[in-house]
Amino acid sequence: MLTGKTALITGGNSGIGLATAQKLLEQGARVAITGRDAEKLEQARRALGPGVITVVADVRSREQLRQMAATVEQAFGGLDIFFANAGVAFGTPLSSTTEERYDELMDINVKGVFFSVQAVEPIMRPGGAIILSTSWLNQVGAPGRALLSASKAAVRSFARTLSAELLERRIRVNAVSPGAIETPIHHQPNQSVEAYRAYAERVGAQAPIGRMGRAEEIAAAVLFLASDASSYMLGAEMVVDGGRAQL
Ligand SMILES: NC(=O)c1ccc[n+]([C@@H]2O[C@H](COP(=O)([O-])OP(=O)(O)OC[C@H]3O[C@@H](n4cnc5c(N)ncnc54)[C@H](OP(=O)(O)O)[C@@H]3O)[C@@H](O)[C@H]2O)c1
């Protein structure tokens, strides 16, 4: 149980972040969620029920991250669990990727994670847990995924280095590494339901387990990494990918 604990989840208005907010609330934690889209945040707040705090914050803005931490400190007094989950995924073929797209992906997935942790670290209580969202793609080479894979490899590395750096403050940093999980990140604009189903079946079949994962299955891993049940884990990566990068 996480009774008395406080948690902050970036990108908590959708997909894995939203499922994790639900899971941590069920365990008795007080939860704050962030995102860029105020309307999606409001929908998430209503779906999650009373006691949830929402903060509009773009992880690319250090000023918004500073305000996010200040809001959480004011509401909760301090933070026990931080899930750096906000991220984007899009293809970046070598021949056609622009510098703008490079910056967009790296600014959100790498710089955003680093400065999110920097912003919340001062309000984290000793004994706290930070969980970073990496990806099965940090381990394999897939065409058109150079930047997404590199961004998640950087985050995997952050779990090690930041864990070492925050050790003296008794804050553990670990990473969760999802495989292909059914969330809005896989939806294309104007895609028909049939086209999405065909895509999901094809991607699911690529995992040895034979299906895409559910957001709740990642939330369960985050709960483990957030709780004292994982008290001997430091700088580690928990892979939850249906065997995609393992078998
Ligand atoms: N689903 C998968 O197959 C999979 C696999 C491996 C890793 N992951 C990782 O899991 C994490 C969550 O993804 P998801 O699958 O749950 O996708 P999702 O449903 O699209 O959620 C992404 C979340 O990130 C937020 N976000 C994106 N850019 C942001 C920014 N600049 N500032 C603040 N928030 C931002 C979004 O909120 P707004 O739209 O409001 O900005 C949204 O809440 C990501 O880091 C992703 O890379 C997912």
Side-chain angles (χ1 to χ4, degrees):
M1 288 295 284
L2 299 176
T3 310
K5 302 282 187 191
T6 60
L8 170 63
I9 302 171
T10 61
N13 62 13
S14 176
I16 292 167
L18 182 58
T20 304
Q22 180 70 57
K23 182 82 73 189
L24 299 188
L25 281 166
E26 285 164 10
Q27 294 296 313
R30 285 187 291 162
V31 177
I33 58 173
T34 80
R36 291 170 299 187
D37 186 327
E39 204 176 305
K40 263 173 38 186
L41 265 178
E42 179 53 23
Q43 280 170 12
R45 193 186 62 75
R46 272 191 252 119
L48 291 168
V52 172
I53 289 167
T54 60
V55 187
V56 177
D58 188 323
V59 294
R60 290 172 291 189
S61 162
R62 291 175 70 188
E63 175 53 24
Q64 289 179 29
L65 290 175
R66 195 192 60 73
Q67 282 172 9
M68 171 189 80
T71 304
V72 170
E73 186 178 26
Q74 197 170 33
F76 292 160
L79 197 59
D80 301 297
I81 298 161
F82 176 51
F83 183 24
N85 163 75
V88 289
F90 49 79
T92 53
L94 179 63
S95 57
S96 58
T97 296
T98 61
E99 189 176 355
E100 286 71 27
R101 288 294 262 179
Y102 181 105
D103 288 343
E104 182 184 355
L105 196 144
M106 291 299 188
D107 283 355
I108 295 173
N109 285 11
V110 182
K111 197 171 163 185
V113 169
F114 183 83
F115 285 109
S116 297
V117 176
Q118 185 188 67
V120 302
E121 183 264 331
I123 68 165
M124 292 221 44
R125 296 189 181 106
I130 295 176
I131 301 100
L132 310 180
S133 183
T134 177
S135 166
W136 70 283
L137 281 167
N138 82 46
Q139 301 189 44
V140 299
R145 293 284 182 266
L147 300 184
L148 178 57
S149 298
S151 73
K152 293 301 186 179
V155 172
R156 170 67 190 94
S157 177
F158 287 162
R160 291 192 171 99
T161 48
L162 298 179
S163 197
E165 198 161 328
L166 297 179
L167 194 55
E168 64 180 19
R169 289 212 52 221
R170 290 206 305 113
I171 295 169
R172 298 181 300 116
V173 186
N174 290 291
V176 66
S177 187
I181 309 300
E182 284 218 47
T183 72
I185 215 167
H186 289 278
H187 297 175
Q188 302 301 322
N190 305 319
Q191 190 179 30
S192 69
V193 175
E194 296 73 33
Y196 177 74
R197 287 299 355 139
Y199 164 86
E201 268 184 37
R202 195 173 69 251
V203 171
Q206 290 166 356
I209 208 164
R211 62 171 174 83
M212 290 181 78
R214 296 186 297 274
E216 296 73 25
E217 292 174 309
I218 305 304
V222 176
L223 170 61
F224 176 72
L225 293 173
S227 74
D228 289 343
S230 62
S231 53
Y232 204 54
M233 291 180 70
L234 290 182
E237 173 181 14
M238 182 172 275
V239 181
V240 188
D241 71 348
R244 184 70 175 85
Q246 314 303 316
L247 312 190

